[in-house]
Each structure stands twice: as C-alpha cells, then as structure tokens.
C-alpha cells in the first residue's frame, strides 16, 4: 500500500487483467478471507487435522499475498524496500513460528485495504474518464446539401456540422444557423441549459475565446430541442474537453505538500523499521525467552509499524477531491492547489467580468425639463441604436426592453463628434448625446444641481452622458458595468468559510472600485492598476498574508494569476490561456461556484489531517504495545489494517461532497 508511485505500478498490474478482470484483486482478497474464516472455524472445532488446516491456510496465503508478493518482488529487485516487502516478510515469519491464522489474517486485511485503495483511486479516475466518454464518436457534416456521418477525427476546422435535437455536440465551434438551449453541465457543471443562438457576423470572426459565449458550443455538451448548424473552430484533440481530460490525468504528478513530506518520512522510516525488527529478533540473547518468542514479538512490531495508512492517506483524499471537483465543472490541478486553497485566508479578485457582468448596463435615465419620459427615451433610443459604440449598444439594448419604445423609429445623419459623443437628426431636430465638452461646444451651461448629479454618479462608478436637443439640455443617461447579482451572497459565503480578506484589483478609477467594493461587501479595493501593477499588488499581498488566491477571467489576468499562490480562472471553457495559467479553473463563469471549491479544499485539508492523525496514532500506540507484549499479532493486524481501510473510506467521503455536507 506504499506511496503513490508505487500504488501506480500496482494499479497497472491490477487493472490489466487477472482472471476476474479489473475486480480480480478484490475477489482474491475476499477468497483469502473466506479460506481463512472457513479454516479457522474448522480448526477451532477440531474438525480437521493440522496438516490439512495448514494446507488451507496456504491457499488463503496465496490469494491474500499474490499481488503484494509481485509488487514486493518488482521493488526489491530495484533495491527499494517498501511496505509490501515488510508485509510479506511478516507473513512468512508468522508461518515460521506456526501462527498461520494470524499470517493469513494479515495478508487478507492487507490485500483488502489495497483492493479498496485501488477501488478508490479507480473510482476517482473513472469519474474523470467519464469526461472522455462525453465526446461523441461521429458527426453529421453537410456535404453538397446532404448529411453525411463521419468519424470525429476526420473533422477539419471550418467544416459545418449539423447537430440534431438532444444529440451530443461533436466539436468546439460557433453556431451559424438556428438557436437552441444547450445543456453544458458536462463541462461547466451548470445545471440549467443555456440559450445559444447563431452568430450574425461570420466574415471576420474573432479568436475562439473572444467570441461571445452565447454563440459558442463545446464538445460533449447536449443540444436541446432544435436543429443547429455549427462551424468547427477546434479539432477534437484541441477541444476544451480533451484539454480537460489531459489536465486532470496529469493531476497526480503534482504532489501535494503533505504528500512530499510523507514521502520523505517513508524514505527513512522503512529502513528504521527493518533495523528495529532485526534487533528485536535477537532480544532472546538479552532477556529470558526463546528465539521463537523474540521472533514473534519482532513480527508483531513489524506489522504494527508498517505505514500503509500513512502512505495512502493523502493521495486518496487528493484524488477524491479532484474527481469531485471535476464532476462539478471545476478543474483543480493537483494536490498542491487543493491543499493551498484549503489554508489561505486572502482572495484577490479582478473586477471586470469577474465581480461584474463584464458588459455595461443602462443604470439611470433622468429628464430635466418636464419632457415626458417616454418621449425622452424614444429619442435616446432612436439615436443610440444607430451607433456602433459599445456604450451606445448597451443603452439601445436596455431601452429596447422597456415599455413604450417603438424600435422602428430611427434617427438620421448620425455623426460621431470625436472625444465628445454623437449627434443625429431625429424628427427634424438635431439631438446631441455626449459629455460636458459637447455641451460647451453648444454653449450650454450646466446648473450646479446637474453638476452635482453628474459628480455623484461618477463617484459611484457610472459613466454619464448628457442629452440635448437643438440648444436645450433635456436630461442624462448613465451606464455602468454592474456587479453580478450573485456576488454579495457569494462573498458572504466565502467569509463564513474563513476567507477574511477579499480585495478587488481593477484598472478602473479608485472611486469606482471603492464604490463597488462597498456595495458588494469586499474588504478592500485597489484602483488604477495596469496588468503589471496587479502583479506587484499580488506580490505585496503575498508578503503580508503569505498565501493569496487570484480570481480572474484568465485572459488579461494571466500574469497576476501566475504570481499568486493559487490562480483561479472563471469561465475557462474555451479559453486556452486560462486553462494553462490557472491552478484552478471554473469552467462556467459563475462566481457562485467559488465557495464550493473553497469548501471542498477545506474539507480535503481536514480529511488529510484526520487521516494523518489516524495513521500515525495507530502506529504510535501499536508499536510500543507489541514490543512490551501487550498486543499479539492478531490485534496488531486488525488495528493496523483497520486503520488503512478507515483512511480510504474517510477519503472517499469527498466524492459525495457538496456545500452542505462534511
């Protein structure tokens, strides 16, 4: 049950065969137990002779020791003495002194613990491999107006595939025809299907990660009730899902800090145990007992001192934690990220797109001179809907959803006034929308009251634009990148999980940052930061709080995420940069997933700690007890192997983790 690398050599032996297929090891272990109990009972009631009993115990030995012996042999040839070696020696010693039943019990429980460990690791791996089975194997492609089914490996970038209702989507790409609600749970973990529609501009497509998410589909997600046509933008080997599988399978190579310490500990611990056992064998030279009694004590101590539970305590918890996260659409790259997340108390957030929606919304419409509001809004809509400026698009989009707007009324002769705003003709009158400079150019003066309104809106982070007709000031509209609705509640939950400092890092003005931070419940905001300033801020916070996580949307925050202890990317589906640089990637852009990840890491950390206490505690109690003769080999075996089984089952609890358990 040795270390993890060792566990792997064994997993190779187990998974590829054996006469009962992948479950052979577990079945062998159960057979060892059946022969042991059967023989022990027959022997106790004196139904069988001693030679026959020994013969049956040997059968139990065979089934219980088969895999451990293979592994011990493989390792010993390389000159590595590991736990399997100690167990085989103990079992042979037990047979030598006639304690056949105890030796068989040792091998039965050892093999059972080992089989359970591999079952745990396989279960975790299976939930990761399940990701791989999500991808369909074929796709329907349009060929001269006819549908043709081809293997997904043959798809080329630029092909158009047709996805039937309720079918799996076969490639990462963009919808060019149709609309549908797509179930993205397999990748992002979101339980509610997401509405997706065809993209309108196909000629100059931006790079994949820059395309608006409501036009993009991913391999392995499931189409709703409508037929859609998708233009393939990534080959199956580069698709989001194959990147995911690739990364999750590499997770095991990122050893966690506890695993590294445990590994070092085992390196000197196993030789120490072997020396102790050899010394105990010669106790009969010093104290009054026979060689067999000394040997018996040495074997008991050997069983008690084997650090099986210790070796498996961390890897089993890390794998279960990572597998659970993958089920929920969160990629955690290895034990280091999992453990670090479990201990930190400070998180830094990027503002735009992480804490906020990432797109401006219309926040205020104020009319100054008694003009009916409907008329004012209609005029603003007619002008702004003609402009391509992002803020104008946001205003017209939000106005369209308000009552009483006639979307067919449009302004004419629209012109951008550089650095000031726009002007256009609506109902034969000139309308201006822009900043104060635009009004100065019209020789319109702002009253103190209006200046105050503008000032307070800007302090709160709004971008305000004044609206004038001919030479009369009519009112103002303001837009703002508003905080996500779920953010305040998410931050509260993080606080309850023990995250005491939450800091916003933003390129926006300090006033804007502070206003938003106050509104959503952050502890601190730092504004006016360029990407390189964010890196400096992270370094400085790391000095102050020793560990810090950085949450961003992965593209422009990559440098800051790379220099933090744990980089967390949101909305990582489809973004290669985010998947590469982040230690933790939330596949959906839902910030409310964050407490789940932090909670899971905290639970994993707790379980790793519990496992270490259980495994080291049992060794610390059993070794002295066996040396002074208080515990015989049967007790040593039961406690020692029992602790291993408890540790594995404890780690498996993580596979059922949700925000409310553990």
């Amino acid at each position: 049950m040795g270390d993890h690398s060792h566990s792997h050599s064994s997993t190779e032996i187990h998974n590829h065969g054996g006469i009962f297929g992948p479950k052979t090891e577990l079945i062998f272990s159960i057979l060892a137990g059946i022969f042991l109990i059967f023989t022990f009972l027959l022997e106790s009631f004196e139904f069988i002779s001693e030679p026959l009993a020994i013969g049956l115990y040997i059968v139990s030995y065979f089934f219980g020791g088969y895999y451990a012996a293979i592994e011990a042999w493989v390792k010993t040839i390389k000159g590595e003495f590991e736990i399997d070696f100690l167990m085989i020696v103990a079992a042979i010693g037990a047979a030598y002194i006639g304690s056949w039943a105890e030796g068989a019990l040792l091998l039965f429980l050892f093999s059972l613990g080992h089989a359970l460990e591999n079952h745990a690791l396989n279960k975790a791996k299976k939930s990761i491999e399940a990701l791989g089975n999500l991808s369909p194997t074929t796709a329907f492609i349009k060929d001269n107006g006819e549908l043709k089914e081809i293997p997904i490996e043959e798809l080329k970038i630029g092909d158009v595939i047709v996805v039937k209702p309720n079918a799996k989507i076969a490639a990462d790409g963009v919808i060019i025809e149709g609309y549908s609600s797509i179930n993205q749970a397999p990748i992002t973990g979101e339980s509610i299907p997401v509405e997706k529609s065809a993209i309108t501009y196909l000629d100059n497509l931006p790079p994949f990660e820059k395309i608006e998410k409501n036009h993009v589909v991913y391999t392995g997600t499931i189409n709703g009730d409508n037929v859609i046509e998708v233009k393939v933008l990534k080959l199956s080997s580069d698709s989001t899902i194959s990147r995911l599988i690739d990364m999750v399978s590499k997770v095991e190579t990122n050893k966690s800090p506890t695993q590294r310490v445990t590994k070092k500990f085992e390196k000197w611990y196993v030789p120490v145990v072997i020396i102790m056992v050899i010394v105990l064998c010669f106790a009969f030279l010093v104290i009054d007992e026979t060689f067999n009694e000394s040997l018996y004590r040495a074997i008991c101590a050997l069983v008690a001192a084997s650090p099986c539970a210790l070796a498996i305590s961390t890897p089993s918890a890390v794998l279960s934690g990572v597998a659970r996260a993958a089920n929920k659409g969160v990629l955690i790259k290895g034990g280091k990220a999992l453990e670090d997340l479990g201990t930190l108390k400070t998180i830094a957030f990027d503002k735009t797109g992480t804490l906020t929606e990432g797109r401006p919304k219309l926040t205020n419409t104020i009319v100054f001179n008694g003009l009916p509001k409907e008329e004012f809004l209609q005029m603003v809509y007619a002008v702004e809907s003609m402009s391509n400026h992002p803020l104008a698009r946001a205003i017209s989009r939000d106005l369209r959803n308000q009552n009483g707007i006639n979307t067919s009324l449009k302004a004419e002769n629209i012109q951008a006034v550089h650095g000031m705003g726009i002007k256009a003709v609506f109902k034969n009158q000139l309308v201006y929308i822009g900043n104060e400079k635009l009004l100065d150019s019209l020789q319109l003066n702002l009253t103190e009251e209006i200046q105050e309104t503008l000032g307070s809106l800007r302090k709160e982070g709004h971008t305000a634009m004044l609206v004038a007709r001919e030479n009369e000031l009519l009112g103002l509209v303001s837009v703002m990148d508003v905080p996500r609705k779920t953010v305040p509640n998410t931050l509260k939950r993080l606080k309850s999980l023990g995250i005491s400092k939450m800091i916003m890092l933003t390129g926006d003005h300090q006033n804007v940052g502070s206003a938003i931070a106050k509104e959503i419940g952050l502890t601190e905001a730092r504004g006016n930061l360029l990407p390189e300033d964010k890196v400096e801020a992270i370094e400085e916070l790391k000095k102050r709080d020793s560990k810090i996580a950085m949450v961003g949307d992965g593209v422009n925050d990559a440098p800051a995420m790379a220099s933090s202890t744990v980089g967390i990317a949101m909305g990582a589906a489809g973004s290669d940069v985010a998947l590469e640089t982040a230690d933790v990637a939330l596949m959906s852009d839902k910030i409310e997933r964050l407490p789940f990840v932090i909670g899971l890491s905290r639970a994993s950390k707790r379980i790793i700690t519990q496992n270490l206490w259980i495994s080291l505690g049992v060794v610390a109690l059993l070794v002295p007890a066996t040396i002074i003769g208080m515990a015989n080999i049967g007790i040593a075996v039961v406690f020692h192997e029992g602790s291993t089984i408890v540790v594995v089952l404890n780690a498996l609890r993580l596979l059922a983790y949700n925000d409310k358990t553990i």
Side-chain angles (χ1 to χ4, degrees):
M1 221 140 193
D3 60 64
H4 214 35
S5 55
H6 149 140
S7 220
H8 275 301
S9 62
S10 65
T11 313
E12 295 312 308
I13 302 168
H14 314 136
N15 286 356
H16 297 307
I19 51 174
F20 302 111
K23 291 214 167 82
T24 304
E25 188 184 16
L26 190 58
I27 293 167
F28 268 30
S29 166
I30 291 164
L31 285 172
I34 291 169
F35 275 99
L36 160 67
I37 293 162
F38 179 64
T39 315
F40 182 72
L41 290 174
L42 290 178
E43 197 183 24
S44 307
F45 294 111
E46 297 181 357
F47 286 152
I48 50 172
S49 64
E50 198 179 326
L52 181 58
I54 290 174
L56 289 172
Y57 279 131
I58 289 172
V59 176
S60 175
Y61 259 60
F62 168 78
F63 285 121
Y66 180 77
Y67 283 107
I70 291 177
E71 229 155 283
W73 175 250
V74 170
K75 290 283 180 182
T76 315
I77 293 175
K78 291 185 194 159
E80 296 171 21
F81 293 103
E82 293 216 345
I83 296 162
D84 301 86
F85 174 77
L86 300 183
M87 288 294 122
I88 295 293
V89 170
I92 292 167
Y96 174 76
I97 55 175
S99 300
W100 284 97
E102 283 92 339
L105 178 66
L106 169 65
L107 290 177
F108 159 58
L109 285 173
F110 181 66
S111 64
L112 181 66
H114 213 278
L116 271 177
E117 171 200 339
N118 283 306
H119 174 67
L121 300 183
N122 287 340
K123 197 165 172 181
K125 282 221 192 77
K126 284 250 165 35
S127 56
I128 287 159
E129 278 161 14
L131 287 173
N133 306 336
L134 290 172
S135 311
T137 47
T138 61
F140 288 100
I141 186 168
K142 263 196 165 169
D143 190 21
N144 296 330
E146 296 207 351
L147 283 190
K148 192 169 111 192
E149 194 169 2
I150 63 163
I152 124 169
E153 295 74 36
E154 288 177 23
L155 282 177
K156 296 184 295 299
I157 289 178
D159 281 349
V160 173
I161 56 173
V162 175
V163 186
K164 297 179 173 176
N166 307 316
K168 284 182 180 170
I169 291 166
D172 284 16
V174 63
I175 300 178
I176 55 169
E177 188 69 49
Y179 64 92
S180 191
S181 52
I182 310 279
N183 173 1
Q184 301 200 122
I187 297 221
T188 62
E190 328 169 59
S191 48
I192 298 165
V194 183
E195 298 297 325
K196 304 263 181 175
S197 59
I199 197 163
T200 46
Y201 48 96
L202 254 183
D203 309 332
N204 49 353
L205 269 183
F208 187 71
E209 50 239 44
K210 293 271 196 306
I211 301 173
E212 285 182 17
K213 290 272 201 279
N214 58 339
H215 305 311
V216 170
V217 293
Y218 305 111
T219 312
T221 55
I222 301 148
N223 187 16
D225 296 336
N226 299 326
V227 177
I228 52 172
E229 292 185 15
V230 175
K231 183 174 184 170
V232 177
L233 295 182
K234 284 191 178 186
L235 298 174
S236 63
S237 53
D238 298 326
S239 71
T240 300
I241 200 141
S242 62
R243 302 283 298 266
L244 259 183
I245 297 157
D246 194 37
M247 285 175 177
V248 179
S249 49
K250 283 187 189 142
V251 153
E252 298 177 14
T253 55
N254 283 349
K255 290 249 192 303
S256 79
T258 312
Q259 251 169 298
R260 289 206 180 96
V261 173
T262 311
K263 204 78 211 70
K264 281 186 187 140
F265 175 72
E266 278 174 37
K267 280 242 174 357
W268 63 260
Y269 180 79
V270 172
V272 166
V273 170
I274 293 172
I275 292 163
M276 174 189 81
V277 170
I278 292 168
V279 169
L280 286 173
C281 285
F282 295 102
F284 72 96
L285 299 174
V286 184
I287 53 177
D288 182 20
E289 64 181 12
T290 63
F291 169 65
N292 269 7
E293 284 167 334
S294 290
L295 183 61
Y296 183 81
R297 180 189 292 122
I299 291 163
C300 289
L302 173 57
V303 172
S306 292
C308 298
L310 178 68
I312 189 58
S313 57
T314 313
S316 56
V318 166
L319 254 136
S320 299
V322 167
R324 178 63 188 144
N327 280 349
K328 283 280 205 173
V330 179
L331 171 65
I332 299 178
K333 294 190 195 166
K336 183 168 172 5
L338 188 70
E339 276 196 36
D340 283 341
L341 257 189
T343 52
L344 52 78
K345 294 194 164 32
T346 308
I347 300 185
F349 296 89
D350 164 54
K351 179 182 97 72
T352 309
T354 303
L355 295 170
T356 61
E357 298 277 1
R359 54 181 202 167
K361 281 199 166 149
L362 179 63
T363 46
N364 288 294
T365 50
I366 302 172
V367 188
F368 294 142
N369 71 344
L371 184 75
K373 191 143 195 184
E374 283 76 31
E375 197 181 320
F376 175 74
L377 297 181
Q378 181 69 63
M379 178 180 72
V380 172
Y381 175 80
V383 174
E384 294 287 34
S385 61
M386 303 302 290
S387 165
N388 262 337
H389 191 281
L391 295 184
R393 282 219 300 270
I395 292 169
S396 56
R397 180 195 66 219
D398 291 348
L399 281 176
R400 198 177 307 135
N401 302 330
Q402 298 202 3
N403 296 335
I405 296 284
N406 179 348
T407 51
S408 58
L409 288 176
K410 301 283 185 196
E412 296 151 349
N413 303 345
I414 187 157
Q415 280 176 305
V417 185
H418 188 61
M420 298 188 211
I422 52 173
K423 63 178 183 181
V425 175
F426 179 63
K427 295 189 174 169
N428 300 324
Q429 290 178 299
L430 259 176
V431 177
Y432 301 86
I433 302 178
N435 55 23
E436 287 99 317
K437 284 187 195 150
L438 186 63
L439 294 190
D440 287 345
S441 70
L442 298 173
Q443 271 119 33
L444 281 176
N445 293 323
L446 298 179
T447 63
E448 243 175 63
E449 198 184 332
I450 292 172
Q451 280 176 330
E452 262 176 36
T453 309
L454 280 173
S456 66
L457 281 172
R458 289 198 175 128
K459 249 204 187 89
E460 288 167 21
H462 300 263
T463 304
M465 285 157 283
L466 294 155
V467 182
R469 183 168 59 190
E470 295 296 339
N471 50 7
E472 182 188 7
L473 179 59
L474 296 182
L476 66 78
V477 289
S478 72
V479 292
M480 182 179 174
D481 181 10
V482 294
R484 292 167 180 260
K485 288 189 178 64
T486 51
V487 164
N489 191 27
T490 301
L491 298 181
K492 270 199 200 95
R493 286 174 60 202
L494 288 174
K495 208 171 238 151
S496 69
L497 285 166
I499 303 292
S500 50
K501 299 194 183 89
M502 293 180 273
I503 299 134
M504 182 201 318
L505 305 178
T506 177
D508 276 358
H509 194 281
Q510 182 66 48
N511 285 349
V512 177
S514 302
I516 291 180
K518 198 169 157 198
E519 183 188 339
I520 59 179
L522 289 169
T523 41
E524 192 181 329
R526 300 187 177 196
N528 306 325
L529 302 177
L530 296 167
E532 54 269 31
D533 302 331
K534 286 187 182 178
V535 176
E536 264 175 50
I538 291 284
E539 291 299 336
E540 182 196 323
L541 290 164
K542 232 172 26 188
K543 282 199 190 90
R544 185 185 84 183
D545 301 332
S546 82
K547 283 184 179 175
I548 182 165
M550 168 77 188
V551 184
D553 53 6
V555 187
N556 51 357
D557 306 311
M561 277 161 53
S563 60
S564 63
T565 321
V566 184
I568 303 173
M570 279 178 40
S575 162
D576 299 348
V577 188
L579 285 178
E580 292 300 337
T581 50
D583 304 298
V584 176
L586 312 182
M587 301 315 287
S588 73
D589 67 349
K590 289 192 159 55
I591 193 165
E592 54 270 39
R593 274 294 141 82
L594 203 51
F596 166 79
V597 182
I598 302 280
L600 177 68
S601 310
R602 296 266 202 265
S604 306
K605 189 84 183 108
R606 271 202 302 279
I607 281 183
I608 288 169
T609 312
Q610 288 163 7
N611 282 355
L612 292 176
W613 277 108
I614 293 168
S615 47
L616 291 171
V618 168
V619 169
L621 291 173
L622 271 186
V623 173
T626 49
I627 291 175
I628 59 173
M630 270 175 66
N632 64 16
I633 192 167
I635 291 172
V637 167
V638 169
F639 270 92
H640 170 260
E641 294 304 334
S643 68
T644 304
I645 292 168
V646 167
V647 158
V648 171
L649 294 175
N650 193 28
L652 281 179
R653 289 196 304 152
L654 284 170
L655 286 175
Y657 176 83
N658 61 45
D659 300 35
K660 293 167 194 65
T661 57
I662 301 192

